Amino acid sequence: MEENNKNNKANEPLIPYTKTLHIFHSFEEQEAHELKEMAAFSSIEILQHLRQCINVAYGMHGYNPNNLPKKHTITNIKYID
C-alpha cells in the first residue's frame, strides 16, 4: 500500500513562475498596460504572435517560420445568390 501512495505524489515544478500578476483598477488601466506591452514588440514578433493565433484558431500544428512554403495559391470562389 505504501508503494501505491508514492506513485500518487504530486510535486510542484522546480522552475519558478516567470509571469507576474497584475491587478488593474479599471479597464482603461488594463488597456494602457496591454498597449504598452504590445508597443515593446518588433513588427516580426507581432506577426509571429498573429501566426500563432491563426494556427490555434484553425487547429494548425507544426508551424515552423524557418520552413515556410515557397508557393502560395489563392482560390476565388464564386458567390451565388
Side-chain angles (χ1 to χ4, degrees):
M1 183 110 180
E2 284 182 30
E3 186 176 321
N4 194 16
N5 289 338
K6 289 179 185 178
N7 293 335
N8 292 332
K9 185 177 179 181
N11 293 319
E12 286 291 318
L14 298 176
I15 301 170
Y17 298 109
T18 58
K19 297 283 183 178
T20 58
L21 180 66
H22 294 280
I23 298 174
F24 303 106
H25 298 290
S26 67
F27 291 115
E28 291 81 14
E29 186 181 343
Q30 177 185 357
E31 184 177 0
H33 176 75
E34 289 173 353
L35 287 173
K36 182 179 174 184
E37 283 189 344
M38 287 298 293
F41 290 135
S42 69
S43 54
I44 295 296
E45 290 173 321
I46 292 171
L47 290 173
Q48 288 173 340
H49 286 280
L50 176 63
R51 183 74 238 183
Q52 288 174 348
C53 290
I54 291 170
N55 290 352
V56 169
Y58 289 100
M60 300 165 60
H61 304 288
Y63 167 71
N64 183 0
N66 298 323
N67 188 18
L68 295 174
K70 304 297 182 218
K71 286 188 171 184
H72 298 279
T73 58
I74 299 173
T75 305
N76 291 330
I77 300 172
K78 288 187 176 184
Y79 177 74
I80 301 173
D81 280 331

Coordinates of all heavy atoms in Angstrom, one line a residue:
M1 N 0.8 -1.2 0.0 CA 0.0 0.0 0.0 C 0.9 1.3 0.0 O 0.5 2.2 -0.6 CB -0.9 0.0 1.2 CG -1.9 1.1 1.3 SD -3.5 0.4 1.0 CE -4.5 1.9 1.1
E2 N 2.0 1.2 0.7 CA 2.9 2.4 0.7 C 3.5 2.7 -0.7 O 3.6 3.9 -1.1 CB 4.1 2.1 1.7 CG 3.7 2.3 3.1 CD 4.9 2.1 4.0 OE1 6.0 2.4 3.6 OE2 4.7 1.6 5.2
E3 N 3.8 1.7 -1.5 CA 4.3 1.9 -2.8 C 3.3 2.6 -3.7 O 3.6 3.4 -4.5 CB 4.7 0.5 -3.4 CG 5.4 0.6 -4.7 CD 5.8 -0.7 -5.2 OE1 6.3 -1.5 -4.4 OE2 5.7 -0.9 -6.4
N4 N 2.0 2.3 -3.6 CA 1.0 2.9 -4.3 C 0.8 4.4 -4.0 O 0.6 5.2 -4.9 CB -0.4 2.2 -4.1 CG -1.4 2.6 -5.1 OD1 -1.1 3.2 -6.2 ND2 -2.6 2.3 -4.8
N5 N 1.0 4.7 -2.7 CA 0.9 6.1 -2.3 C 2.1 7.0 -2.9 O 2.0 8.1 -3.1 CB 0.9 6.3 -0.8 CG -0.4 5.8 -0.2 OD1 -1.4 5.8 -0.9 ND2 -0.4 5.4 1.0
K6 N 3.3 6.3 -3.0 CA 4.4 7.0 -3.6 C 4.2 7.5 -5.0 O 4.6 8.5 -5.5 CB 5.7 6.2 -3.5 CG 6.2 6.0 -2.1 CD 7.4 5.1 -2.1 CE 7.9 4.8 -0.7 NZ 9.0 3.8 -0.6
N7 N 3.5 6.6 -5.8 CA 3.2 6.9 -7.2 C 2.2 8.0 -7.4 O 2.2 8.7 -8.4 CB 2.8 5.7 -7.9 CG 3.9 4.6 -8.0 OD1 5.0 5.0 -8.0 ND2 3.5 3.4 -8.1
N8 N 1.4 8.3 -6.4 CA 0.4 9.3 -6.5 C 0.8 10.7 -6.0 O 0.0 11.6 -5.9 CB -0.9 8.9 -5.7 CG -1.5 7.7 -6.4 OD1 -1.4 7.5 -7.6 ND2 -2.2 6.8 -5.6
K9 N 2.0 10.8 -5.6 CA 2.5 12.1 -5.1 C 2.7 13.1 -6.2 O 3.3 12.8 -7.2 CB 3.9 11.8 -4.4 CG 4.4 13.0 -3.7 CD 5.7 12.7 -2.9 CE 6.3 13.9 -2.2 NZ 7.5 13.6 -1.6
A10 N 2.2 14.3 -6.0 CA 2.3 15.4 -6.9 C 3.4 16.4 -6.4 O 3.3 16.8 -5.3 CB 1.0 16.1 -7.1
N11 N 4.2 16.8 -7.3 CA 5.3 17.8 -6.9 C 5.1 19.1 -7.7 O 4.7 19.1 -8.9 CB 6.7 17.2 -7.2 CG 7.0 16.0 -6.4 OD1 6.7 16.0 -5.2 ND2 7.6 15.0 -6.9
E12 N 5.5 20.2 -7.1 CA 5.5 21.5 -7.8 C 6.7 21.5 -8.7 O 7.7 20.9 -8.4 CB 5.5 22.6 -6.7 CG 4.3 22.8 -6.0 CD 3.2 23.4 -6.9 OE1 3.5 24.3 -7.7 OE2 2.0 22.9 -6.8
P13 N 6.6 22.2 -9.8 CA 7.8 22.3 -10.7 C 8.9 23.1 -10.0 O 8.7 23.9 -9.1 CB 7.2 23.2 -11.9 CG 6.0 23.8 -11.4 CD 5.5 23.0 -10.3
L14 N 10.1 22.7 -10.3 CA 11.3 23.3 -9.7 C 11.6 24.7 -10.3 O 12.3 25.5 -9.7 CB 12.5 22.4 -9.9 CG 12.4 21.0 -9.2 CD1 13.6 20.1 -9.5 CD2 12.2 21.2 -7.7
I15 N 11.1 24.9 -11.5 CA 11.4 26.2 -12.2 C 10.4 27.2 -11.6 O 9.2 27.0 -11.6 CB 11.2 26.1 -13.7 CG1 12.2 25.0 -14.2 CG2 11.4 27.4 -14.4 CD1 12.0 24.7 -15.6
P16 N 10.8 28.4 -11.1 CA 9.9 29.4 -10.6 C 9.1 30.0 -11.8 O 9.5 30.0 -12.9 CB 10.8 30.4 -10.0 CG 12.1 30.3 -10.7 CD 12.2 28.8 -11.0
Y17 N 7.9 30.4 -11.4 CA 7.0 31.1 -12.4 C 7.6 32.4 -12.8 O 8.1 33.2 -12.0 CB 5.6 31.3 -11.8 CG 4.9 30.0 -11.4 CD1 4.7 29.6 -10.1 CD2 4.5 29.1 -12.4 CE1 4.1 28.4 -9.8 CE2 3.8 27.9 -12.1 CZ 3.7 27.6 -10.8 OH 3.1 26.4 -10.5
T18 N 7.6 32.7 -14.1 CA 8.2 33.9 -14.6 C 7.1 35.0 -14.8 O 7.5 36.2 -14.9 CB 8.9 33.6 -15.9 OG1 8.0 33.1 -16.9 CG2 10.0 32.7 -15.7
K19 N 5.9 34.7 -15.0 CA 4.9 35.7 -15.2 C 4.5 36.4 -13.9 O 4.5 35.8 -12.8 CB 3.6 35.0 -15.7 CG 3.7 34.4 -17.1 CD 3.8 35.4 -18.2 CE 3.9 34.8 -19.5 NZ 3.8 35.7 -20.6
T20 N 4.2 37.7 -14.0 CA 3.8 38.4 -12.8 C 2.3 38.7 -12.9 O 1.8 38.7 -14.0 CB 4.6 39.8 -12.7 OG1 4.3 40.5 -13.9 CG2 6.1 39.6 -12.6
L21 N 1.7 38.8 -11.8 CA 0.3 39.0 -11.7 C 0.0 40.5 -11.6 O 0.6 41.2 -10.7 CB -0.3 38.3 -10.4 CG -1.8 38.5 -10.2 CD1 -2.5 37.8 -11.3 CD2 -2.1 37.9 -8.9
H22 N -0.8 41.1 -12.5 CA -1.1 42.5 -12.5 C -2.6 42.6 -12.0 O -3.4 41.9 -12.5 CB -0.9 43.1 -13.8 CG 0.5 43.1 -14.3 ND1 1.4 44.1 -13.9 CD2 1.2 42.3 -15.2 CE1 2.5 43.8 -14.5 NE2 2.4 42.8 -15.2
I23 N -2.8 43.5 -11.1 CA -4.2 43.8 -10.7 C -4.5 45.2 -11.2 O -3.8 46.2 -10.9 CB -4.3 43.8 -9.2 CG1 -4.0 42.3 -8.7 CG2 -5.7 44.2 -8.7 CD1 -3.9 42.2 -7.2
F24 N -5.6 45.3 -12.0 CA -6.0 46.6 -12.6 C -7.2 47.1 -11.8 O -8.1 46.3 -11.5 CB -6.3 46.4 -14.1 CG -5.1 45.8 -14.8 CD1 -5.1 44.5 -15.3 CD2 -4.0 46.7 -15.1 CE1 -4.0 44.0 -16.0 CE2 -2.9 46.2 -15.8 CZ -2.9 44.8 -16.2
H25 N -7.3 48.4 -11.7 CA -8.4 49.0 -11.0 C -9.5 49.5 -12.0 O -10.5 49.9 -11.6 CB -7.9 50.2 -10.1 CG -7.0 49.7 -9.1 ND1 -7.4 48.9 -8.0 CD2 -5.7 49.9 -8.9 CE1 -6.4 48.7 -7.2 NE2 -5.3 49.2 -7.8
S26 N -9.2 49.4 -13.3 CA -10.1 49.8 -14.3 C -9.8 49.2 -15.6 O -8.6 48.7 -15.8 CB -10.2 51.3 -14.5 OG -9.0 51.8 -15.0
F27 N -10.7 49.1 -16.5 CA -10.5 48.6 -17.9 C -9.5 49.5 -18.6 O -8.7 49.0 -19.4 CB -11.8 48.4 -18.6 CG -12.6 47.3 -18.1 CD1 -13.9 47.6 -17.6 CD2 -12.2 46.0 -18.1 CE1 -14.7 46.6 -17.1 CE2 -13.0 45.0 -17.6 CZ -14.2 45.3 -17.1
E28 N -9.6 50.8 -18.4 CA -8.7 51.7 -19.1 C -7.2 51.5 -18.6 O -6.3 51.5 -19.5 CB -9.1 53.2 -18.7 CG -10.4 53.6 -19.4 CD -11.6 53.1 -18.6 OE1 -11.5 52.7 -17.4 OE2 -12.7 53.2 -19.1
E29 N -7.0 51.2 -17.4 CA -5.7 50.9 -16.9 C -5.1 49.6 -17.5 O -4.0 49.5 -17.9 CB -5.7 50.8 -15.3 CG -4.4 50.6 -14.7 CD -4.5 50.5 -13.2 OE1 -5.5 50.8 -12.6 OE2 -3.5 50.0 -12.6
Q30 N -6.0 48.6 -17.6 CA -5.6 47.3 -18.2 C -5.3 47.5 -19.7 O -4.3 47.0 -20.2 CB -6.8 46.3 -18.1 CG -6.5 45.0 -18.8 CD -7.6 44.1 -18.8 OE1 -8.7 44.3 -18.2 NE2 -7.5 42.9 -19.4
E31 N -6.1 48.3 -20.4 CA -5.8 48.6 -21.8 C -4.5 49.3 -22.0 O -3.7 49.0 -22.9 CB -7.0 49.4 -22.4 CG -6.8 49.6 -23.9 CD -8.0 50.3 -24.5 OE1 -9.0 50.6 -23.8 OE2 -7.9 50.6 -25.7
A32 N -4.2 50.3 -21.2 CA -3.0 51.0 -21.3 C -1.8 50.1 -21.1 O -0.8 50.2 -21.8 CB -3.0 52.2 -20.3
H33 N -1.9 49.2 -20.1 CA -0.8 48.3 -19.8 C -0.6 47.3 -21.0 O 0.5 47.1 -21.4 CB -1.1 47.4 -18.6 CG -0.1 46.4 -18.3 ND1 1.1 46.7 -17.8 CD2 -0.2 45.0 -18.4 CE1 1.8 45.6 -17.6 NE2 1.0 44.6 -18.0
E34 N -1.7 46.8 -21.6 CA -1.6 45.9 -22.8 C -1.0 46.6 -24.0 O -0.2 46.1 -24.7 CB -2.9 45.3 -23.1 CG -3.4 44.3 -22.1 CD -4.8 43.9 -22.3 OE1 -5.5 44.4 -23.2 OE2 -5.3 43.0 -21.5
L35 N -1.4 47.9 -24.2 CA -0.8 48.7 -25.3 C 0.7 48.9 -25.1 O 1.5 48.9 -26.0 CB -1.6 50.0 -25.4 CG -3.0 49.9 -26.0 CD1 -3.6 51.2 -26.0 CD2 -2.9 49.4 -27.4
K36 N 1.1 49.2 -23.9 CA 2.5 49.4 -23.6 C 3.3 48.1 -23.8 O 4.4 48.2 -24.4 CB 2.6 49.8 -22.1 CG 4.1 50.1 -21.7 CD 4.1 50.5 -20.2 CE 5.5 50.7 -19.7 NZ 5.6 51.0 -18.3
E37 N 2.8 47.0 -23.5 CA 3.4 45.7 -23.7 C 3.5 45.4 -25.2 O 4.6 44.9 -25.7 CB 2.7 44.5 -23.0 CG 3.0 44.4 -21.5 CD 2.4 43.2 -20.9 OE1 1.6 42.5 -21.6 OE2 2.8 42.8 -19.8
M38 N 2.5 45.7 -25.9 CA 2.5 45.4 -27.4 C 3.4 46.3 -28.1 O 4.0 46.0 -29.1 CB 1.0 45.6 -28.0 CG 0.1 44.4 -27.6 SD 0.6 42.8 -28.3 CE 0.5 43.1 -30.0
A39 N 3.6 47.6 -27.6 CA 4.5 48.5 -28.3 C 5.9 48.1 -28.1 O 6.8 48.5 -29.0 CB 4.3 49.9 -27.7
A40 N 6.2 47.2 -27.2 CA 7.6 46.8 -27.0 C 8.0 45.7 -28.0 O 9.2 45.4 -28.2 CB 7.8 46.2 -25.6
F41 N 7.0 45.1 -28.7 CA 7.3 44.0 -29.6 C 7.8 44.6 -31.0 O 7.3 45.7 -31.4 CB 6.1 43.2 -29.9 CG 5.7 42.3 -28.8 CD1 4.3 42.2 -28.4 CD2 6.6 41.5 -28.1 CE1 4.0 41.4 -27.4 CE2 6.2 40.7 -27.1 CZ 4.9 40.6 -26.7
S42 N 8.7 43.9 -31.7 CA 9.0 44.3 -33.0 C 7.9 43.9 -34.0 O 7.1 43.1 -33.6 CB 10.4 43.7 -33.4 OG 10.2 42.3 -33.6
S43 N 8.0 44.4 -35.2 CA 7.0 44.0 -36.2 C 7.0 42.5 -36.5 O 6.0 41.9 -36.7 CB 7.1 44.9 -37.4 OG 8.4 44.8 -37.9
I44 N 8.2 41.9 -36.5 CA 8.3 40.5 -36.7 C 7.7 39.7 -35.6 O 7.0 38.7 -35.8 CB 9.8 40.1 -36.9 CG1 10.4 40.8 -38.1 CG2 10.0 38.6 -36.9 CD1 9.8 40.3 -39.4
E45 N 7.9 40.1 -34.3 CA 7.3 39.4 -33.2 C 5.8 39.5 -33.2 O 5.1 38.5 -32.9 CB 7.8 40.0 -31.9 CG 9.3 39.7 -31.6 CD 9.8 40.4 -30.4 OE1 9.5 41.6 -30.2 OE2 10.6 39.8 -29.6
I46 N 5.3 40.7 -33.6 CA 3.8 40.8 -33.7 C 3.2 39.9 -34.8 O 2.2 39.2 -34.5 CB 3.4 42.3 -34.1 CG1 3.8 43.2 -32.9 CG2 2.0 42.4 -34.4 CD1 3.7 44.6 -33.1
L47 N 3.9 39.8 -35.9 CA 3.5 38.8 -37.0 C 3.6 37.4 -36.5 O 2.7 36.5 -36.8 CB 4.2 39.0 -38.3 CG 4.0 40.3 -39.0 CD1 4.9 40.5 -40.2 CD2 2.5 40.4 -39.5
Q48 N 4.6 37.0 -35.7 CA 4.7 35.7 -35.2 C 3.6 35.4 -34.2 O 3.0 34.3 -34.3 CB 6.1 35.5 -34.6 CG 7.2 35.4 -35.6 CD 8.6 35.4 -35.0 OE1 8.8 35.8 -33.8 NE2 9.6 35.0 -35.7
H49 N 3.2 36.3 -33.4 CA 2.1 36.1 -32.5 C 0.8 36.0 -33.2 O 0.0 35.1 -32.9 CB 2.0 37.3 -31.5 CG 3.1 37.3 -30.4 ND1 3.0 36.5 -29.3 CD2 4.2 38.0 -30.3 CE1 4.1 36.7 -28.6 NE2 4.9 37.6 -29.2
L50 N 0.6 36.8 -34.3 CA -0.6 36.6 -35.1 C -0.6 35.3 -35.7 O -1.7 34.6 -35.8 CB -0.6 37.7 -36.2 CG -1.7 37.7 -37.2 CD1 -3.0 37.9 -36.5 CD2 -1.5 38.7 -38.2
R51 N 0.5 34.8 -36.2 CA 0.5 33.5 -36.9 C 0.2 32.4 -35.9 O -0.5 31.4 -36.2 CB 1.9 33.2 -37.4 CG 2.1 31.9 -38.2 CD 1.4 32.0 -39.5 NE 0.4 31.0 -39.6 CZ -0.4 30.8 -40.7 NH1 -0.2 31.6 -41.7 NH2 -1.3 29.9 -40.7
Q52 N 0.7 32.5 -34.6 CA 0.3 31.5 -33.6 C -1.2 31.5 -33.3 O -1.8 30.5 -33.1 CB 1.1 31.8 -32.3 CG 2.6 31.5 -32.4 CD 3.4 31.9 -31.2 OE1 2.9 32.6 -30.4 NE2 4.6 31.5 -31.1
C53 N -1.8 32.7 -33.3 CA -3.2 32.8 -33.0 C -4.0 32.2 -34.1 O -5.0 31.5 -33.9 CB -3.6 34.3 -32.9 SG -3.1 35.0 -31.3
I54 N -3.6 32.4 -35.4 CA -4.2 31.8 -36.5 C -4.1 30.3 -36.5 O -5.1 29.5 -36.7 CB -3.6 32.3 -37.9 CG1 -4.0 33.8 -38.0 CG2 -4.1 31.5 -39.1 CD1 -3.3 34.5 -39.2
N55 N -2.9 29.8 -36.1 CA -2.7 28.3 -36.0 C -3.6 27.7 -35.0 O -4.2 26.6 -35.2 CB -1.3 28.0 -35.7 CG -0.3 28.3 -36.9 OD1 -0.8 28.6 -38.0 ND2 0.9 28.2 -36.6
V56 N -3.8 28.4 -33.8 CA -4.6 27.8 -32.8 C -6.1 27.9 -33.2 O -6.8 26.9 -33.0 CB -4.4 28.7 -31.5 CG1 -5.5 28.3 -30.5 CG2 -3.1 28.4 -30.9
A57 N -6.5 29.0 -33.9 CA -7.9 29.1 -34.3 C -8.3 28.0 -35.3 O -9.4 27.5 -35.3 CB -8.1 30.5 -34.9
Y58 N -7.3 27.7 -36.2 CA -7.6 26.7 -37.3 C -7.1 25.3 -37.0 O -7.2 24.5 -37.8 CB -7.1 27.2 -38.6 CG -7.9 28.4 -39.2 CD1 -7.4 29.7 -39.0 CD2 -9.1 28.2 -39.8 CE1 -8.2 30.8 -39.5 CE2 -9.9 29.2 -40.3 CZ -9.4 30.5 -40.1 OH -10.1 31.6 -40.6
G59 N -6.5 25.1 -35.8 CA -6.0 23.8 -35.4 C -4.8 23.4 -36.2 O -4.6 22.2 -36.5
M60 N -4.0 24.3 -36.7 CA -2.8 24.0 -37.4 C -1.7 23.8 -36.5 O -1.4 24.7 -35.6 CB -2.5 25.1 -38.4 CG -3.6 25.4 -39.4 SD -3.5 27.0 -40.3 CE -1.9 26.8 -41.1
H61 N -1.0 22.7 -36.6 CA 0.1 22.4 -35.7 C 1.4 22.2 -36.5 O 1.4 21.9 -37.7 CB -0.1 21.1 -34.9 CG -1.4 21.2 -34.1 ND1 -1.6 22.0 -33.0 CD2 -2.6 20.6 -34.3 CE1 -2.8 21.8 -32.5 NE2 -3.4 21.0 -33.3
G62 N 2.5 22.5 -35.9 CA 3.8 22.3 -36.6 C 4.3 23.5 -37.4 O 5.0 23.3 -38.3
Y63 N 3.8 24.7 -37.1 CA 4.2 25.9 -37.8 C 5.7 26.1 -37.5 O 6.2 26.2 -36.4 CB 3.4 27.1 -37.3 CG 4.0 28.4 -37.8 CD1 3.9 28.8 -39.1 CD2 4.6 29.3 -36.9 CE1 4.5 30.0 -39.6 CE2 5.1 30.5 -37.3 CZ 5.1 30.8 -38.6 OH 5.6 32.0 -39.1
N64 N 6.5 26.2 -38.6 CA 7.9 26.5 -38.5 C 8.3 27.7 -39.4 O 8.2 27.6 -40.6 CB 8.7 25.3 -38.9 CG 10.2 25.5 -38.8 OD1 10.7 26.5 -38.4 ND2 11.0 24.5 -39.2
P65 N 8.6 28.9 -38.8 CA 8.8 30.1 -39.6 C 10.1 29.9 -40.4 O 10.3 30.7 -41.4 CB 9.0 31.2 -38.5 CG 9.3 30.5 -37.3 CD 8.7 29.1 -37.3
N66 N 10.9 29.0 -40.1 CA 12.2 28.8 -40.9 C 11.9 27.9 -42.1 O 12.8 27.7 -43.0 CB 13.3 28.2 -40.1 CG 13.7 29.2 -39.0 OD1 13.7 30.4 -39.1 ND2 13.9 28.6 -37.8
N67 N 10.8 27.3 -42.2 CA 10.5 26.3 -43.3 C 9.1 26.7 -43.9 O 8.2 25.8 -43.9 CB 10.5 24.9 -42.8 CG 10.4 23.9 -43.9 OD1 10.6 24.2 -45.1 ND2 10.1 22.7 -43.6
L68 N 8.9 27.9 -44.4 CA 7.7 28.3 -45.0 C 7.5 27.8 -46.4 O 8.5 27.6 -47.1 CB 7.6 29.8 -45.0 CG 7.6 30.4 -43.6 CD1 7.6 32.0 -43.7 CD2 6.3 30.0 -42.8
P69 N 6.3 27.6 -46.9 CA 6.1 27.1 -48.2 C 6.6 28.2 -49.2 O 6.5 29.4 -49.0 CB 4.6 26.9 -48.4 CG 4.0 27.5 -47.2 CD 5.0 27.7 -46.1
K70 N 7.1 27.7 -50.4 CA 7.6 28.7 -51.4 C 6.5 29.2 -52.3 O 6.6 30.3 -52.8 CB 8.7 28.0 -52.2 CG 9.8 27.4 -51.4 CD 10.6 28.4 -50.7 CE 11.8 27.8 -49.9 NZ 12.0 28.4 -48.7
K71 N 5.5 28.4 -52.5 CA 4.4 28.8 -53.4 C 3.1 29.0 -52.5 O 2.8 28.1 -51.7 CB 4.2 27.8 -54.5 CG 5.2 27.8 -55.6 CD 4.7 26.9 -56.7 CE 5.6 27.1 -57.9 NZ 5.2 26.3 -59.0
H72 N 2.3 30.0 -52.9 CA 1.1 30.2 -52.2 C 0.0 30.3 -53.3 O 0.3 30.8 -54.4 CB 1.0 31.5 -51.4 CG 2.0 31.5 -50.3 ND1 1.8 30.9 -49.1 CD2 3.2 32.0 -50.2 CE1 2.8 31.0 -48.3 NE2 3.7 31.7 -48.9
T73 N -1.1 29.7 -53.1 CA -2.2 29.8 -54.0 C -3.5 30.4 -53.4 O -3.7 30.2 -52.2 CB -2.6 28.4 -54.6 OG1 -3.0 27.6 -53.5 CG2 -1.4 27.8 -55.4
I74 N -4.2 31.2 -54.2 CA -5.4 31.8 -53.7 C -6.5 31.3 -54.6 O -6.4 31.5 -55.9 CB -5.3 33.3 -53.7 CG1 -4.2 33.8 -52.7 CG2 -6.7 33.9 -53.3 CD1 -4.0 35.2 -52.7
T75 N -7.6 30.8 -54.1 CA -8.7 30.3 -54.9 C -9.9 31.2 -54.7 O -10.3 31.5 -53.6 CB -9.0 28.9 -54.5 OG1 -7.9 28.1 -54.6 CG2 -10.1 28.3 -55.4
N76 N -10.4 31.7 -55.8 CA -11.6 32.6 -55.8 C -12.8 31.7 -55.9 O -12.9 30.8 -56.8 CB -11.6 33.6 -56.9 CG -10.6 34.6 -56.7 OD1 -10.2 35.0 -55.6 ND2 -10.1 35.2 -57.8
I77 N -13.7 31.8 -55.0 CA -15.0 31.0 -55.0 C -16.1 32.0 -55.4 O -16.3 33.0 -54.9 CB -15.2 30.4 -53.7 CG1 -14.1 29.5 -53.3 CG2 -16.6 29.7 -53.7 CD1 -14.1 29.0 -51.9
K78 N -16.9 31.6 -56.4 CA -18.0 32.4 -56.9 C -19.1 32.3 -55.9 O -19.5 31.3 -55.4 CB -18.5 31.9 -58.2 CG -17.6 32.3 -59.4 CD -18.3 31.9 -60.7 CE -17.4 32.4 -61.8 NZ -18.1 32.1 -63.1
Y79 N -19.6 33.5 -55.5 CA -20.8 33.6 -54.6 C -22.0 33.7 -55.4 O -22.2 34.5 -56.3 CB -20.6 34.8 -53.7 CG -21.8 35.0 -52.8 CD1 -21.9 34.2 -51.7 CD2 -22.7 36.0 -53.0 CE1 -23.0 34.3 -50.8 CE2 -23.8 36.1 -52.2 CZ -23.9 35.3 -51.1 OH -25.0 35.5 -50.2
I80 N -22.9 32.7 -55.2 CA -24.2 32.7 -55.9 C -25.3 33.1 -55.0 O -25.5 32.5 -53.9 CB -24.5 31.3 -56.5 CG1 -23.3 30.9 -57.5 CG2 -25.8 31.3 -57.3 CD1 -23.4 29.5 -58.0
D81 N -26.1 34.1 -55.4 CA -27.3 34.5 -54.6 C -28.4 33.5 -54.7 O -28.8 33.0 -55.7 CB -27.8 35.9 -55.0 CG -26.9 36.9 -54.3 OD1 -26.4 36.7 -53.3 OD2 -26.8 38.0 -54.9

